[in-house]
Amino acid sequence: MSLYEVNDGVAIITLDRPPLNTQGLPLRRHLDDALRATGSDSNVVAIVITGAGRCFSGGGDITEFNLPAGAEEPQAPALFARLEASPKPVVAAIHGMALGGGLELALACHARVAHASTQVGLPEVNLGLLPGAGGTQRLPRLVGVETALNLILKGTVSSAAALADSGLFDRVTEGSVLEEAITLARSLAADVAENHTLRRTSALACHMDNAQAFIAFARSTLKTPAGGPTAAQACLDCIEAAVCLPFAEGMAVESERFRGLATSSQFAGLRHAFLAERAAANVLDLPDGTSAREIKRAAVIGGGTMGSGIAITLANARLAVLLIEREQAALDRAFKTIREYYEQSVQRGKLSSDTAAARIALISGATDYAGIAEADLVIEAVFEDLEVKREVFERLDAVAKPGAILASNTSMLDLDLIAAFTRRPQDVIGLHFFSPAPVMKLLEVVRGAKTAPDVLVSALALAKKIGKTAVVAGVCEGFIGNRMIEAYLMQAGLLLDEGALPHQVDLAMEQWGMAMGPFRMSDMAGNDVGAKIRAARIERDASRVYSGVSDLITAMGRYGQKAGRGWYDYPPGARKPSPSPEVQSTVVAHSAQLGLQRRHISDEEIVDRLVLALVNEGFKLLEEGIAQRASDIDVVYTAGYGFPRWRGGPMLYAEQRGLADVIAALSRFSVGPVYQHAEHFWRPAPLLVRLAESGQSLAQFNLKETP
């Protein structure tokens, strides 16, 4: 394509790097060449920068980090500075989105025109970075310190319409952005011809009454994680510099803080998590050209907490949903839950009352299966019992129309057995939602041995439509997430036998970065539910070893949050759980009954045993092909199990730590109380040993194994 085209004296430079016009080296060079050419073209009196396709620019190219292209000239900060210094007016014509570096490019222009629906933001903080091309210095000068701080610190995305009066845009339109921008560019060129000064963002004053006190208050609200200072703290430093220092000095602060973050472990983890989520959507062995089946109407079998949540999730994506329960009373309870959810959403300002009413209207109810004949997708969300699921799927097989997708929300049962209850196993798939379904981002898509390719593609398309992060798993007990969490919870219980207490274990894991420790998690899920799962697993495999204290706690009626007492006490009105003296005495007594001398257990040992239990099981899953790549396992844990996103996931953690060191730690833990069979539990996964001995990375393993 040509560098630019001239429209009656206005040069139109188009950013053209599909699909999001990210500012990788080719686009930066194109923009640089075009700016230099238009600057020397006597036929050009003004410049408009626009984006090809569906957006202005999605920002920098994160895949260039740590590659030579990322360090090659022109770099964005210097490029944008040259743009801003142009003696000819430059106007940004913004549509679709202008995120990160895309918005920073627009900030450096002399004026900005945006379509009202355009999505704008500086989300770098979500990747452990800060806007590194002048965003922290230019944005406060245009919109003020408070608005800039909220946009940069929270990393949120807003519509241009919502920011129309902020000072960010010169014009916000419902019409043609390009035409408006060209008109404005000609007007600015006429002003320049009459010796008017161009409005350069860097030259604007940045002030706010009591700005430093405001920033100090914002700083006091930030928490420092185990990994050290956060990107949010660095963003505050830069915004403070914008207020207190000249523009050039503020840019120097921004550059210094950016370089520090770009080499941090937090950025490495967050970047890995971001790229891993992208990769998870790519299923390696699907036939080319496989199309998704159309899904317009859905049905959900079971109106409990999970079933109601799934129905809400589907309705939020504007799908018609039929919710089925056995009895009217159960159906009434389900709809009460649904109405309460939407009422709370309205009260919190998340939805308008009209939108909430429209979504409730999408959900209908029934106590029979007749309406299922119209459904394109049926999701079973009944009790986790194979015989119960047999009954449901046999009935579905009889009434569902040909080509309907039959999905199970099972969290651990054999999907191939469930599929065998039908005469159409090719139409059966697992859709393992996480509770609360409308909130949790992860969706484990379980691919059965006979699941048809187009059913799998349909499931992935559905996940995208309902805003979930999908990870494809093979069939085994617990799939990826719950199979790994079993090993984690087993070690948590055995640590109690040896000398730890529940609140110590939880605190150690939470300080390390987990969203919630194992015992708080168990209380939330229900200790009675955990007891049933353990009993079923022991029935299938008597060699499994759990701490007996878990069953003692359950036998005492300490079922968790729902009972007001579990591993912790939950006093009415209290915001936090309280360690329970009754539980502590039960733990100590159980150790004595086992004949164990309780010992001091360090937080370091707690973290190592729990995290490496996940890691070792993850390597087994990878070798068995249950997960198609190591990064998929990381996505499951960062998106669904509260693993600290800035650590990237358990598999990245293992690789960064060093696989030889991981094996050495497993060896240390293999000596323990006889009843625990520690030597067997901590035996390193064969794949872990092979990679450690060969020096091969997990990424290299995946490349080698890819067909």
Side-chain angles (χ1 to χ4, degrees):
M1 60 173 259
S2 61
L3 288 178
Y4 60 93
E5 58 180 295
V6 180
N7 182 333
D8 193 17
V10 177
I12 302 169
I13 299 174
T14 302
L15 309 175
D16 191 1
R17 194 187 185 201
L20 300 179
N21 301 325
T22 49
Q23 295 170 19
L25 181 60
L27 189 142
R28 296 198 307 273
R29 284 178 172 168
H30 165 76
L31 178 58
D32 188 38
D33 291 343
L35 287 172
R36 293 180 189 277
T38 54
S40 60
D41 189 339
S42 60
N43 294 316
V44 172
V45 297
I47 302 163
V48 169
I49 301 177
T50 187
R54 56 186 173 130
C55 73
F56 181 73
S57 174
D61 187 347
I62 193 173
T63 64
E64 276 192 357
F65 275 85
N66 303 323
L67 295 176
E72 289 192 35
E73 298 294 342
Q75 293 292 293
L79 177 58
F80 297 170
R82 287 199 299 275
L83 182 158
E84 189 177 42
S86 167
K88 299 177 181 181
V90 184
V91 179
I94 311 168
H95 73 288
M97 70 172 73
L99 301 179
L103 181 56
E104 289 180 292
L105 167 59
L107 294 174
C109 294
H110 303 123
R112 287 150 295 281
V113 177
H115 192 276
S117 64
T118 302
Q119 299 294 299
V120 297
L122 295 171
E124 286 87 348
V125 70
N126 298 319
L127 285 173
L129 293 174
L130 55 77
T136 67
Q137 303 306 298
R138 290 190 176 96
L139 187 64
R141 286 172 161 80
L142 281 172
V143 303
V145 174
E146 185 172 358
T147 301
L149 189 147
N150 285 330
L151 284 169
I152 294 172
L153 216 60
K154 295 178 181 178
T156 53
V157 175
S158 301
S159 69
L163 295 169
D165 298 325
S166 68
L168 179 56
F169 305 108
D170 296 80
R171 296 181 186 176
V172 175
T173 180
E174 294 280 0
S176 169
V177 172
L178 186 57
E179 289 179 10
E180 287 269 7
I182 292 171
T183 300
L184 179 56
R186 290 197 179 109
S187 175
L188 293 176
D191 290 343
V192 170
E194 296 179 4
N195 295 319
H196 288 262
T197 302
L198 281 171
R199 181 174 179 256
R200 292 182 169 86
T201 309
S202 62
L204 300 178
C206 181
H207 65 268
M208 172 189 186
D209 293 338
N210 300 316
Q212 287 183 294
F214 180 78
I215 290 170
F217 172 75
R219 200 183 300 281
S220 70
T221 65
L222 298 178
K223 295 180 180 179
T224 302
T230 64
Q233 291 167 318
C235 288
L236 275 174
D237 293 343
C238 294
I239 294 171
E240 186 173 31
V243 176
C244 302
L245 300 174
F247 180 80
E249 293 180 32
M251 284 295 294
V253 172
E254 181 187 271
S255 178
E256 178 190 11
R257 296 295 190 275
F258 183 87
R259 287 196 302 271
L261 292 171
T263 56
S264 70
S265 60
Q266 289 184 28
F267 169 61
L270 290 166
R271 176 178 182 265
H272 173 82
F274 176 80
L275 295 175
E277 288 181 358
R278 279 188 181 181
N282 178 25
V283 181
L284 300 173
D285 59 347
L286 281 175
D288 291 340
T290 303
S291 299
R293 299 183 187 181
E294 187 175 43
I295 299 175
K296 289 185 176 180
R297 299 187 60 83
V300 178
I301 312 296
T305 300
M306 185 57 78
S308 299
I310 293 172
I312 290 168
T313 302
L314 296 172
N316 285 345
R318 297 173 178 80
L319 284 170
V321 187
L322 174 64
L323 183 60
I324 294 178
E325 262 291 358
R326 287 188 173 187
E327 301 174 351
Q328 188 62 44
L331 193 61
D332 292 342
R333 286 193 297 272
F335 273 88
K336 181 174 182 291
T337 298
I338 291 167
R339 285 191 296 271
E340 287 175 349
Y341 167 85
Y342 283 112
E343 287 168 2
Q344 290 172 5
S345 296
V346 171
Q347 290 168 5
R348 294 171 182 167
K350 293 183 176 181
L351 292 177
S352 69
S353 55
D354 288 346
T355 300
R359 293 184 183 179
I360 292 172
L362 285 169
I363 307 174
S364 58
T367 55
D368 60 61
Y369 279 44
I372 285 178
E374 300 178 11
D376 305 302
L377 166 70
V378 186
I379 302 175
E380 164 273 308
V382 301
F383 187 69
E384 196 77 334
D385 179 274
L386 196 59
E387 287 307 309
V388 175
K389 293 185 188 293
R390 176 197 292 273
E391 178 187 346
V392 168
F393 274 85
E394 286 178 348
R395 293 185 68 184
L396 290 180
D397 192 36
V399 299
K401 67 182 181 181
I405 297 171
L406 308 183
S408 174
N409 182 56
T410 180
S411 62
M412 59 177 288
L413 298 177
D414 188 328
L415 186 78
D416 290 331
L417 287 178
I418 293 172
F421 298 150
T422 75
R423 292 163 295 177
R424 47 173 110 178
Q426 73 279 0
D427 294 334
V428 178
I429 196 166
L431 294 178
H432 178 206
F433 289 80
F434 288 71
S435 187
V439 176
M440 296 296 287
K441 296 294 290 182
L442 179 65
L443 179 65
E444 262 187 320
V445 177
V446 185
R447 182 185 195 178
K450 296 184 179 179
T451 301
D454 64 337
V455 171
L456 181 57
V457 169
S458 302
L460 295 174
L462 174 71
K464 186 175 182 180
K465 182 179 180 67
I466 63 179
K468 300 300 183 188
T469 300
V471 175
V472 176
V475 176
C476 69
E477 185 180 273
F479 316 124
I480 296 173
N482 281 345
R483 174 165 156 185
M484 289 171 65
I485 207 68
E486 182 194 11
Y488 175 89
L489 293 174
M490 286 171 73
Q491 282 303 307
L494 296 176
L495 282 165
L496 300 187
D497 291 355
E498 295 176 45
L501 291 171
H503 63 273
Q504 179 200 357
V505 174
D506 283 351
L507 184 60
M509 296 309 300
E510 289 162 13
Q511 288 181 335
W512 187 78
M514 294 293 286
M516 188 179 293
F519 297 105
R520 285 184 60 204
M521 182 177 70
S522 296
D523 271 359
M524 184 178 71
N527 294 320
D528 53 333
V529 175
K532 291 176 182 176
I533 292 172
R534 285 192 303 276
R537 284 172 170 161
I538 290 172
E539 185 176 346
R540 290 190 295 274
D541 181 2
S543 69
R544 299 187 198 224
V545 179
Y546 299 94
S547 169
V549 76
S550 299
D551 290 331
L552 293 174
I553 295 302
T554 305
M556 293 160 64
R558 303 188 69 97
Y559 298 151
Q561 289 183 15
K562 61 188 176 185
R565 59 192 200 124
W567 291 103
Y568 294 86
D569 290 330
Y570 297 86
R575 300 188 60 155
K576 293 183 178 180
S578 301
S580 166
E582 183 181 37
V583 168
Q584 292 182 26
S585 61
T586 302
V587 168
V588 172
H590 184 66
S591 298
Q593 186 178 5
L594 291 171
L596 295 178
Q597 179 68 44
R598 290 179 65 81
R599 62 183 178 87
H600 169 73
I601 297 178
S602 68
D603 288 356
E604 181 182 12
E605 180 181 345
I606 290 169
V607 170
D608 255 10
R609 282 176 61 171
L610 268 59
V611 175
L612 295 185
L614 292 176
V615 165
N616 201 36
E617 201 66 32
F619 274 94
K620 295 175 186 177
L621 285 168
L622 186 60
E623 186 164 31
E624 294 168 18
I626 302 301
Q628 67 171 346
R629 56 176 72 87
S631 61
D632 285 2
I633 296 172
D634 288 336
V635 173
V636 167
Y637 266 79
T638 55
Y641 288 83
F643 197 95
R645 188 175 176 86
W646 58 269
R647 291 192 184 273
M651 305 304 282
L652 179 68
Y653 169 79
E655 194 145 49
Q656 289 179 331
R657 177 170 175 163
L659 301 187
D661 189 54
V662 168
I663 291 173
L666 299 185
S667 178
R668 289 196 302 272
F669 298 146
S670 67
V671 178
V674 174
Y675 77 99
Q676 292 184 10
H677 305 311
E679 183 179 359
H680 172 75
F681 182 92
W682 292 110
R683 184 174 298 131
L687 176 61
L688 171 58
V689 174
R690 290 204 310 275
L691 294 184
E693 291 176 346
S694 67
Q696 191 179 17
S697 70
L698 283 165
Q700 289 169 329
F701 167 77
N702 275 125
L703 286 172
K704 181 181 177 182
E705 296 298 310
T706 300

